[in-house]
Amino acid sequence: MLVIGNLKMYMTYEQVKTLIANFDEEIVLCPSAIFIPYFLNHRYEVGIQDISMYDLGSHTGEISACQARQLGVTYAIVGHSERRKYNQETNEEINKKIIKGLENNLKVILCVGENQGEDKENVIENQLLNALKDVNNLENLIIAYEPVWCIGTGITPTNEQIEATINFIQTIIKKKFNSNVKVLYGGSVDKDNINTLKKINNLSGFLIGKASTDYRQLKEIVASLRD
Ligand code: PGA
């Protein structure tokens, strides 16, 4: 099972140092970009929480896939709901970012998921087809199913609901791209629900936010997935 910790913008420099001093397991950690150099050369791989849709050039504040790759970053999260919110990131931009990430040999984690009350299948199908326009090789693409109403809320769907949604995602990808894809679940995953969630049949792993900032909890989660 693939475990990806999305540390978001939760951590201070002191907290980052504590995490690094106490945690070294084979997962993927995605810290704030400014802290990435501290996370390199450990047992975990390093991901970036967002990448630019551009290569190099006059784009203040942006970080490109090629820069990240050169430093040793191997994963990139694209289309997280916290970035889609308020149209900070449009479908078109998400599509360009995915293409840049894949071109630069990053493993790209595309986040999809519905808001509460939305037509889940319709929303997810649209997100997938828009994000993956003109993407030909899905070998390095991973999809994270993250229902927006479950992120940071302590609520998770039932295993049956998650399994059905993963099936739906895999069916679309098979039909449109004739490809198989790994699907992760994300949204309020923690040490208490991991033993239930890990029983989902077609699941390839987890994208973990808040719980991944606590190295003790993260260790418990990794240990539980090893059993
Ligand atoms: P959470 O976040 O685990 O804190 O709910 C997950 C995510 O946003 O990727």
Side-chain angles (χ1 to χ4, degrees), residues 37-104:
Y38 303 108
F39 284 81
L40 297 166
N41 306 314
H42 293 88
R43 289 178 67 199
Y44 39 82
E45 291 191 58
V46 182
I48 188 159
Q49 295 176 14
D50 178 40
I51 45 168
S52 176
M53 58 180 170
Y54 304 109
D55 287 320
L56 297 170
S58 54
H59 304 288
T60 304
E62 297 273 290
I63 300 169
S64 72
C66 72
Q67 292 174 320
R69 191 73 191 99
Q70 280 172 4
L71 208 64
V73 168
T74 47
Y75 285 80
I77 299 173
V78 173
H80 193 281
S81 64
E82 287 158 11
R83 301 195 56 81
R84 290 180 188 260
K85 209 162 56 175
Y86 313 123
N87 248 6
Q88 276 185 59
E89 190 161 78
T90 63
N91 279 322
E92 201 186 356
E93 287 164 1
I94 291 170
N95 174 247
K96 289 184 180 157
K97 290 177 176 192
I98 291 174
I99 291 172
K100 282 290 167 228
L102 294 176
E103 262 175 25
N104 286 283

Side-chain angles (χ1 to χ4, degrees), residues 121-217:
E121 296 199 343
N122 199 16
V123 167
I124 291 178
E125 180 162 6
N126 269 324
Q127 288 174 336
L128 288 173
L129 298 185
N130 281 311
L132 299 176
K133 193 166 158 278
D134 300 327
V135 176
N136 301 316
N137 186 348
L138 271 58
E139 206 180 317
N140 280 328
L141 184 90
I142 297 159
I143 294 178
Y145 170 51
E146 299 208 301
V148 180
W149 50 281
C150 296
I151 295 176
T153 57
I155 304 169
T156 52
T158 64
N159 279 12
E160 291 70 27
Q161 285 170 325
I162 297 172
E163 198 166 312
T165 310
I166 294 175
N167 263 329
F168 176 74
I169 291 170
Q170 286 172 332
T171 305
I172 291 181
I173 297 295
K174 189 83 208 167
K175 202 164 82 191
K176 304 278 180 187
F177 302 92
N178 195 25
S179 193
N180 297 318
V181 70
K182 284 188 180 145
V183 184
L184 315 178
Y185 169 75
S188 297
V189 177
D190 62 23
K191 65 174 175 37
D192 298 321
N193 58 27
I194 194 72
N195 285 314
T196 304
L197 292 169
K198 74 179 184 186
K199 296 188 185 127
I200 297 168
N201 278 319
N202 45 8
L203 185 72
S204 293
F206 297 95
L207 180 54
I208 306 176
K210 184 74 178 152
S212 69
T213 64
D214 169 0
Y215 70 85
R216 292 187 187 88
Q217 191 166 174

